[in-house]
Amino acid sequence: MGKRSFDELSVVATGVQTLEDRFGKRRRYEDDDGVPPISQWRCNLTALSQTHNLYFVAYGPSIYVYVPQFPTQALLPEPALIIPSHPSSQNLLGHLDPRTPHAINSLLVQRLGNDEVVATTRDDGDVEAVLVRHVVQAIARRAEPDCLLGLVAEEVKAMFQANVGISAWGLAIHSEARVLATSSNACEVRIFKFGLMCEHADDDGDEYEDRRADVTQRVLNGNANIPCIAFCNTGDDPTARWLLTTDISGYCRVMDLHRAEGADVTVQQLRFGRSFFGGMFDRLNAGWAMMFLDRRSFRAERTFQAAIGLAEHGKLPGSRGRMATWDLSDTVDLVAGSSDPFVRRKRRAEGRGSTRAQRMDVTEASSDAEPRSEGDDSLTGRSDNVETTGDAVERREMQASDSQDVSMANTSSDDSDESIESDFDDDDDDISLLVDDADPEDEGTEATTSFSALYGGKRIFGNMPYFYHSTNLCEDLPCPILHASVKNLYLLQPSNQRFNTGAFSPPMVGLANPLRQALGHEHGYLNMFDRLNMHVYIPYLGVVVIASQKGRALVLSLTKLSATVRYPADMREHQGRKTNYAMRVECVLPFGHQESEGERAFAPLHGVAASPVQGTSGRQRWRLMMMYQDNSVLSYEITRPGGRSGGMGVADLVAFKAPQLAHHEAHSKMGEAREKPLHELLSRDMVDIYVGAENTHWVLHEKLLCHRSKFFRNIFYTKEGSKAHTFGLPDDDDEPFRLFVAWLYAETVPTPKEEKDLGALFDLYLMAEKWEIKKLTIDVLDAVRRWYHDTDSWPSLRRVQYIYGNTETESPMRQLLVSCVARMLVLGDDMPVHWEKALHRNGQLAVDIIMCVSKWHFKPETVPDAREKSVVPIYEEAQHKAEIKKEDAAEGQEVQKMTNGVNGEEHDEENGKENGEENGEENGEENGEENGEEDGEGESEGQEEDEQSVKQEEES
């Protein structure tokens, strides 16, 4: 096995939080006050907001809202809010647990129109959606001083609630078309098409918003339960025409919701592999996930090996020149720690508290399995003598032929905390392992052959897709489709009638049992949770995370091969006519070292969730959170090497850089450094920074500071190779530098609460320009922009003058402020006096405003044309201004005469007295008039200071 021939995705573990970490130490049979109840046998029950730092967790019928803490994403013991729910009607019955019929079966956070919503399906058939902004408002109210509101937010009303008659499961939202769909155990799908918002008032007089469904559509879906449905949110289907469904009998359907022929709108039906049971539940081929993928999120690769995750000159095992199916099952072995057994091990000698495992509840459980022969050194990790993938296949075939079926055990372990500290043997040879698949039948195999006995339990060739109609897929919608069954993954190419007639377009890319793993025999009950029923799609990175409820997740990169790529010589049919979409395994989570150190819980998964890392601009850094049913949480950060995002065509999803600029920066010593995770920048070397007149002392990480700023790189790394460790900033103030340090470590810029808070932000911006920190410059610009937008105010004259006095002509902050001022002046009724005087004095500011307005490209009919109207109003306005100017001049002459009318000592005494009185009266009258005008016109805060500064300059 050689080195993999591509830049691997960066996945870094950032946090481990156990039940004890979250809620304190507990013992068995202890009253678990404060620990929310877990509902088992559900689908994904966690989600992260994509716009706010909010983590939603379903506990029974309620939604708990947490605020993850950067950078570990740790959760506080108490949630920030609890969203309760009440059934739509009385006496509704549940399907899984009659004691809690209103419990949540699945949870989804997604944009519906312009609003992000938290949608849920429930065991009593209720379907609900809550606006995330209402959640944010409720949390903000509870953060106010002297607030007496409790955590349970009864005021947060569901904007939508309906009942489908029986337990609801699948949940899908089409963001652009504002459509919500849900599947139920009635073997049908309900479609809710929403209208506009309308405001209501409850019994207490509190207003809330409600969005009624204009249309409700009911469509049929076979005779089995439907755990997953999906719309196409890639932009290729803006009207929500196509809907994918997959059921537990193994059948997948493509529905055309625009058909008007009754409730049966299925236009294509397919399945992967044969049906061995013929009933409503196929325990081998049952479908648990299905989704459309955006073709723009696939990354272009130059070689076949890089696209599917092989070593540089590796071959696809078992392909034998086949192009109809690419079986990637063996590529999982190229990922370190992917199949190490999951067992309890003896605690290391460091003592209590040395590892996370010493704090784990012993009643927890485990994950998937691969058979290992006695004496196999991979039980204790990967051998240094690595064999090729082909050799591994032959060895497993020989081992599997001698293996015996092992029945699944469900023995309980000691429940006391003291048992956690008891010794487990470090020698894995003494550990009884349970094979992942001990059943005599499995996916796509004959009834007489064990799935584990063929290719070591890894095979996809027997599961070619069977299409029941000759029509194409979604009328050649250009979106690949990903499907997950109990253990297997399948990627279908979009149908394309130019190259292949019918629904199937080769190759189908598959992974058989990628999360295989042997368990400790006493935790075999986790095999009951073996189903790939949780997933997260991150199109910005070109990543899909597929998780089994047994406790592990597979991180996949989406790749593609263009028509010009050369395939290996042994592949008979060269697919050079079209782009082929593929995927490769990046890693398996939790990592092998996390499991060996006891950081993974012995419990099923409660849910997986992903969103951009809080406080970061753009979407290059993502956090992934895996929550287990023992309330422990594992957190990770996912980035692309070099900050690169998804596929070649993803420019509309993330910030795009021109190829010429990217090439120049790659070869320029002065270019910005590659983005790195925070933990890689916290080196031991520190530097001393002294700020301001008082020499405030700051001790900062040298590597982090120099990575963020070219200015500091030049300070601390000289051309001669010597290193400085101290630097002074006597001309900078403490407050903006404090904001800089906060951004340096957390990459967050605080949102101003008042106009006076903008002063420190403008100083922080000047630091960013001076120290050549591009990202900080953008973050401050955005914070200033958001403040003026959210407060519906405009930049004051003194703010604009301050920026003009401290920046160059091409400064982005100048452009932002000038754009705001130009709009204020153009849309205002009259030119404010202080702005008119300022434009007289500052010609550059006036020119910049004119240049800004010239770029707006008004429609001709919206701009007055002086050539078409009478000139009389122009003449009268000019005369009026001239008369005002004459009156002002005459008043000035009278004052001068009165001042010069007295001689001698009396003249000197009274002249000083009168001048003082007159100037005081004049200033008072002018200030009073000007302030009155400002109050009447409603000028923004800080304008009075602008008036006074202009007057003082004129008098001087």
Side-chain angles (χ1 to χ4, degrees):
M1 178 176 63
K3 182 182 183 299
R4 299 217 284 179
S5 56
F6 51 87
D7 292 331
E8 298 188 34
L9 190 73
S10 173
V11 183
V12 179
T14 57
V16 180
Q17 196 176 21
T18 65
L19 169 67
E20 182 179 319
D21 294 332
R22 291 185 60 189
F23 300 106
K25 188 171 182 179
R26 278 170 161 72
R27 291 180 177 271
R28 188 70 169 172
Y29 309 119
E30 183 181 6
D31 185 11
D32 285 338
D33 287 340
V35 180
I38 292 286
S39 297
Q40 292 188 336
W41 303 108
R42 318 291 162 139
C43 289
N44 200 1
L45 295 182
T46 66
L48 280 159
S49 169
Q50 304 301 297
T51 56
H52 302 279
N53 184 29
L54 298 178
Y55 182 52
F56 300 90
V57 182
Y59 286 115
S62 301
I63 301 174
Y64 283 52
V65 187
Y66 295 92
V67 179
Q69 306 298 300
F70 180 86
T72 64
Q73 309 304 334
L75 306 180
L76 298 177
E78 273 197 350
L81 197 74
I82 298 176
I83 307 174
S85 176
H86 305 287
S88 57
S89 61
Q90 296 180 353
N91 302 321
L92 294 177
L93 301 179
H95 175 72
L96 290 179
D97 188 351
R99 297 170 300 178
T100 55
H102 200 54
I104 297 172
N105 285 338
S106 62
L107 182 147
L108 175 67
V109 174
Q110 191 175 320
R111 185 172 57 85
L112 179 66
N114 296 324
D115 283 307
E116 191 177 44
V117 299
V118 187
T120 56
T121 57
R122 299 174 181 269
D123 202 29
D124 59 4
D126 274 355
V127 184
E128 296 180 359
V130 174
L131 290 171
V132 171
R133 58 184 170 89
H134 287 178
V135 177
V136 174
Q137 293 167 2
I139 295 175
R141 281 195 294 269
R142 283 158 175 78
E144 295 175 354
D146 303 326
C147 178
L148 301 179
L149 293 173
L151 290 178
V152 180
E154 292 287 355
E155 75 273 19
V156 177
K157 309 290 185 182
M159 59 153 260
F160 164 74
Q161 185 181 49
N163 188 274
V164 296
I166 196 172
S167 185
W169 285 89
L171 186 59
I173 292 176
H174 195 288
S175 299
E176 186 175 356
R178 297 196 304 181
V179 178
L180 183 147
T182 181
S183 60
S184 70
N185 286 359
C187 308
E188 65 179 26
V189 179
R190 295 284 183 93
I191 313 295
F192 302 96
K193 301 178 181 180
F194 294 102
L196 300 176
M197 283 285 196
C198 55
E199 292 188 355
H200 298 272
D202 57 19
D203 296 337
D204 298 328
D206 296 329
E207 292 185 354
Y208 66 95
E209 293 177 343
D210 186 18
R211 177 180 269 135
R212 298 296 183 186
D214 282 347
V215 180
T216 301
Q217 184 179 1
R218 173 178 171 267
V219 296
L220 301 178
N221 191 96
N223 59 354
N225 297 339
I226 314 158
C228 182
I229 57 178
F231 282 115
C232 178
N233 278 290
T234 66
D236 299 295
D237 178 23
T239 60
R241 177 182 179 183
W242 304 106
L243 181 73
L244 299 177
T245 71
T246 183
D247 62 38
I248 61 175
S249 66
Y251 289 95
C252 306
R253 289 173 175 82
V254 178
M255 296 184 175
D256 184 356
L257 301 183
H258 288 187
R259 292 183 64 178
E261 295 91 354
D264 188 3
V265 295
T266 298
V267 294
Q268 184 59 266
Q269 181 174 319
L270 66 147
R271 65 176 295 117
F272 297 88
R274 295 159 47 194
S275 176
F276 291 98
F277 303 97
M280 296 176 57
F281 178 63
D282 187 335
R283 62 184 180 84
L284 303 178
N285 296 313
W288 287 99
M290 199 169 188
M291 69 186 86
F292 289 103
L293 299 177
D294 193 331
R295 66 189 187 279
R296 295 168 297 180
S297 65
F298 286 74
R299 289 168 53 90
E301 296 291 351
R302 296 183 178 180
T303 67
F304 175 76
Q305 288 81 3
I308 64 174
L310 289 174
E312 187 171 356
H313 300 291
K315 297 181 179 179
L316 193 62
S319 65
R320 300 177 183 175
R322 294 185 181 97
M323 287 300 295
T325 303
W326 294 356
D327 189 348
L328 311 185
S329 306
D330 289 297
T331 63
V332 181
D333 288 340
L334 304 180
V335 178
S338 61
S339 299
D340 295 343
F342 183 42
V343 295
R344 292 194 180 277
R345 304 176 189 276
K346 182 178 178 179
R347 300 297 178 251
R348 290 183 171 84
E350 287 84 351
R352 185 178 181 88
S354 61
T355 66
R356 291 281 186 183
Q358 291 172 319
R359 298 194 300 272
M360 295 176 64
D361 186 350
V362 99
T363 61
E364 300 160 357
S366 103
S367 187
D368 304 283
E370 178 184 21
R372 304 280 184 169
S373 64
E374 186 175 352
D376 187 356
D377 56 9
S378 62
L379 291 178
T380 57
R382 292 194 171 272
S383 171
D384 294 335
N385 300 320
V386 183
E387 60 188 350
T388 64
T389 305
D391 294 337
V393 171
E394 293 183 7
R395 177 178 60 81
R396 289 189 181 89
E397 289 178 354
M398 296 177 62
Q399 292 173 355
S401 64
D402 298 330
S403 64
Q404 297 180 352
D405 293 340
V406 183
S407 60
M408 184 171 61
N410 185 12
T411 58
S412 60
S413 55
D414 190 359
D415 294 324
S416 66
D417 282 347
E418 285 74 18
S419 68
I420 299 178
E421 301 301 324
S422 63
D423 290 344
F424 293 99
D425 194 344
D426 270 332
D427 187 359
D428 289 329
D429 291 338
D430 295 336
I431 298 176
S432 175
L433 296 180
L434 179 66
V435 174
D436 173 73
D437 182 6
D439 194 86
E441 301 172 337
D442 209 322
E443 253 177 280
T445 67
E446 291 75 17
T448 57
T449 306
S450 170
F451 188 54
S452 301
L454 189 59
Y455 295 110
K458 300 169 296 182
R459 186 181 74 129
I460 210 71
F461 294 116
N463 282 5
M464 287 294 293
Y466 296 90
F467 293 88
Y468 288 76
H469 303 281
S470 60
T471 57
N472 55 11
L473 284 176
C474 306
E475 294 187 355
D476 286 353
L477 192 73
C479 299
I481 296 175
L482 185 67
H483 178 266
S485 63
V486 179
K487 296 176 183 291
N488 291 5
L489 281 174
Y490 309 93
L491 178 65
L492 290 178
Q493 308 291 321
S495 62
N496 192 325
Q497 303 309 298
R498 292 188 302 161
F499 303 113
N500 299 93
T501 58
F504 180 65
S505 178
M508 181 195 76
V509 185
L511 281 159
N513 200 13
L515 292 178
R516 51 189 173 269
Q517 185 185 42
L519 306 175
H521 199 82
E522 71 276 16
H523 299 295
Y525 70 90
L526 278 183
N527 282 330
M528 295 186 295
F529 295 93
D530 191 6
R531 48 186 182 178
L532 299 175
N533 66 334
M534 299 179 183
H535 63 270
V536 172
Y537 177 31
I538 310 176
Y540 303 94
L541 297 181
V543 168
V544 174
V545 180
I546 297 287
S548 169
Q549 201 162 20
K550 285 179 64 174
R552 294 209 301 169
L554 188 73
V555 181
L556 298 168
S557 276
L558 303 177
T559 62
K560 62 183 177 183
L561 292 166
S562 67
T564 60
V565 171
R566 295 183 63 85
Y567 288 82
D570 62 336
M571 304 188 79
R572 294 189 302 241
E573 299 179 22
H574 173 54
Q575 297 286 325
R577 296 179 298 166
K578 67 180 182 69
T579 296
N580 285 325
Y581 298 95
M583 57 187 175
R584 67 166 177 253
V585 178
E586 294 283 357
C587 64
V588 175
L589 301 176
F591 295 118
H593 69 84
Q594 289 185 291
E595 294 184 346
S596 64
E597 294 171 3
E599 293 181 351
R600 172 185 165 186
F602 283 82
L605 268 177
H606 194 58
V608 294
S611 74
V613 174
Q614 61 264 56
T616 59
S617 62
R619 293 177 177 261
Q620 287 76 34
R621 296 171 56 191
W622 285 69
R623 51 181 168 172
L624 174 70
M625 299 178 68
M626 299 173 60
M627 185 176 189
Y628 290 81
Q629 290 186 2
D630 72 333
N631 284 288
S632 62
V633 181
L634 298 180
S635 301
Y636 304 87
E637 183 171 313
I638 305 177
T639 56
R640 279 285 175 194
R644 293 176 61 191
S645 57
M648 294 291 291
V650 78
D652 50 77
L653 300 179
V654 295
F656 177 73
K657 185 177 292 182
Q660 297 88 343
L661 180 59
H663 181 271
H664 171 75
E665 289 188 355
H667 292 81
S668 174
K669 295 182 180 179
M670 308 302 291
E672 291 189 6
R674 177 179 67 86
E675 186 63 31
K676 295 182 178 179
L678 179 63
H679 72 277
E680 293 184 11
L681 300 173
L682 301 182
S683 60
R684 294 183 178 180
D685 295 334
M686 311 295 286
V687 294
D688 299 293
I689 307 292
Y690 295 89
V691 181
E694 301 297 329
N695 282 331
T696 304
H697 184 203
W698 293 85
V699 181
L700 305 176
H701 287 84
E702 177 192 68
K703 189 175 182 180
L704 175 64
L705 186 63
C706 295
H707 178 79
R708 296 275 194 256
S709 168
K710 173 186 171 184
F711 174 85
F712 286 109
R713 281 201 298 275
N714 295 334
I715 294 296
F716 294 110
Y717 297 105
T718 63
K719 295 181 179 179
E720 294 76 18
S722 59
K723 292 177 61 176
H725 296 284
T726 303
F727 188 70
L729 298 169
D731 297 328
D732 294 306
D733 295 329
D734 289 333
E735 179 57 19
F737 192 83
R738 183 188 67 80
L739 297 179
F740 167 72
V741 173
W743 177 88
L744 183 67
Y745 286 88
E747 292 190 335
T748 58
V749 174
T751 301
K753 295 182 179 179
E754 299 177 273
E755 201 278 345
K756 64 181 181 180
D757 297 334
L758 290 173
L761 272 188
F762 283 117
D763 288 336
L764 178 62
Y765 175 84
L766 298 178
M767 289 178 175
E769 276 198 348
K770 179 173 65 175
W771 298 339
E772 300 175 83
I773 308 177
K774 176 182 176 182
K775 190 175 185 306
L776 177 58
T777 302
I778 294 175
D779 288 350
V780 178
L781 279 168
D782 193 56
V784 172
R785 176 199 63 78
R786 282 187 281 109
W787 190 86
Y788 284 124
H789 176 270
D790 295 342
T791 59
D792 194 21
S793 60
W794 305 105
S796 63
L797 176 59
R798 64 192 177 98
R799 299 298 188 195
V800 176
Q801 289 174 332
Y802 182 72
I803 290 298
Y804 264 72
N806 292 278
T807 59
E808 299 296 332
T809 305
E810 62 275 6
S811 169
M813 185 62 79
R814 276 198 186 190
Q815 299 178 30
L816 173 64
L817 298 185
V818 163
S819 299
C820 295
V821 171
R823 180 178 176 85
M824 176 191 71
L825 297 180
V826 169
L827 299 182
D829 294 332
D830 296 309
M831 172 75 74
V833 176
H834 62 291
W835 274 104
E836 182 178 356
K837 294 179 180 179
L839 294 179
H840 276 297
R841 295 195 316 274
N842 192 333
Q844 184 61 50
L845 176 59
V847 170
D848 289 346
I849 292 176
I850 295 173
M851 294 295 292
C852 178
V853 174
S854 68
K855 298 176 182 178
W856 291 352
H857 303 295
F858 293 103
K859 293 182 179 180
E861 60 269 21
T862 63
V863 181
D865 191 346
R867 301 169 301 175
E868 298 177 355
K869 297 182 180 180
S870 172
V871 298
V872 174
I874 299 176
Y875 175 81
E876 291 176 350
E877 183 178 0
Q879 288 293 102
H880 179 66
K881 290 183 177 179
E883 292 174 0
I884 293 177
K885 188 174 182 180
K886 289 180 181 179
E887 292 176 0
D888 292 339
E891 290 179 1
Q893 292 176 359
E894 290 181 6
V895 172
Q896 188 66 29
K897 290 180 181 179
M898 294 176 61
T899 303
N900 298 331
V902 181
N903 298 320
E905 295 180 358
E906 182 178 356
H907 160 77
D908 294 335
E909 293 175 359
E910 294 197 11
N911 185 38
K913 182 177 180 181
E914 288 178 2
N915 281 343
E917 293 175 351
E918 289 171 357
N919 288 338
E921 293 173 357
E922 183 177 319
N923 290 340
E925 291 174 356
E926 290 181 359
N927 285 337
E929 292 173 356
E930 290 170 356
N931 289 338
E933 292 173 357
E934 287 175 11
D935 293 337
E937 296 173 356
E939 290 291 329
S940 63
E941 183 176 342
Q943 187 168 307
E944 180 179 349
E945 298 179 18
D946 300 335
E947 291 268 352
Q948 294 174 355
S949 64
V950 171
K951 181 176 292 294
Q952 290 172 2
E953 289 179 347
E954 289 180 343
E955 291 176 352
S956 63

